[in-house]
């Protein structure tokens, strides 16, 4: 019996080792399944959030497009108003320049006379 003791002990260790491997294999498999499920849930949640953000972005882009159209309309109106006003402004500026020229000529005449 004493001779067989190391072999029986080694056999028991191997059996125990095999039982532990099978147990841990099942535990690891279960943990991996749980991890996969958690990752899938998180991906689904992330996908929903990205979709929500994309919809918000779409609304912002629509608003910006409308704003751009309004700004373009206003710029066109401003341009038309400036074109209407420009001839009158040009006439006023010419009158003022002529008055300035007359005043400068008067000043120069007085200066040269002195």
């Amino acid at each position: 019996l004493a001779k067989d003791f190391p072999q029986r002990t080694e056999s028991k260790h191997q059996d125990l080792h095999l039982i532990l491997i099978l147990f841990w294999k099942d535990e690891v498999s279960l943990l991996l399944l749980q991890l996969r499920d958690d990752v899938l849930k998180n991906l689904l949640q992330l996908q929903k959030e990205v979709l929500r953000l994309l919809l918000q972005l779409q609304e912002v882009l629509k608003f910006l497009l409308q704003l751009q159209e309004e700004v373009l309309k206003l710029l066109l109106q401003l341009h038309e108003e400036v074109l209407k006003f420009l001839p009158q402004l040009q006439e006023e500026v010419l009158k003022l320049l002529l008055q300035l020229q007359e005043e400068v000529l008067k000043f120069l005449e007085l200066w040269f006379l002195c």
Side-chain angles (χ1 to χ4, degrees):
L1 278 175
K3 289 183 197 176
D4 292 338
F5 181 75
Q7 290 176 345
R8 279 189 275 146
T9 304
E10 188 175 320
S11 176
K12 286 181 182 179
H13 283 294
Q14 288 175 349
D15 291 345
L16 183 59
H17 186 67
L18 186 59
I19 289 170
L20 285 174
I21 287 174
L22 292 175
F23 174 77
W24 286 112
K25 179 183 168 199
D26 288 343
E27 284 297 311
V28 168
S29 294
L30 182 62
L31 288 173
L32 285 173
L33 286 173
Q34 289 173 345
L35 180 62
R36 185 200 66 189
D37 288 346
D38 290 346
V39 167
L40 289 175
K41 285 177 188 174
N42 288 337
L43 282 174
L44 182 61
Q45 187 63 32
L46 185 63
Q47 184 181 20
K48 287 178 183 178
E49 186 65 19
V50 167
L51 182 59
R52 186 186 67 76
L53 290 172
L54 284 172
L55 290 172
Q56 284 182 348
L57 180 62
Q58 183 181 19
E59 291 301 314
V60 169
L61 289 173
K62 283 179 184 178
F63 173 76
L64 287 174
L65 184 59
Q66 290 172 351
L67 187 63
Q68 181 185 24
E69 289 174 3
E70 289 298 315
V71 167
L72 286 173
K73 286 177 185 176
L74 290 172
L75 283 172
L76 183 59
Q77 287 176 1
L78 179 64
H79 179 73
E80 290 170 355
E81 291 298 316
V82 166
L83 287 178
K84 287 178 187 175
F85 182 69
L86 200 58
Q88 181 184 351
L89 181 64
Q90 186 179 16
E91 186 179 315
E92 290 295 318
V93 168
L94 281 174
K95 284 180 185 178
L96 290 172
L97 284 171
L98 285 173
Q99 287 176 1
L100 180 63
Q101 183 182 12
E102 289 175 11
E103 293 296 320
V104 168
L105 285 174
K106 286 179 187 177
F107 173 77
L108 287 175
E109 283 177 10
L110 287 173
W111 191 62
F112 282 119
L113 287 176
C114 293

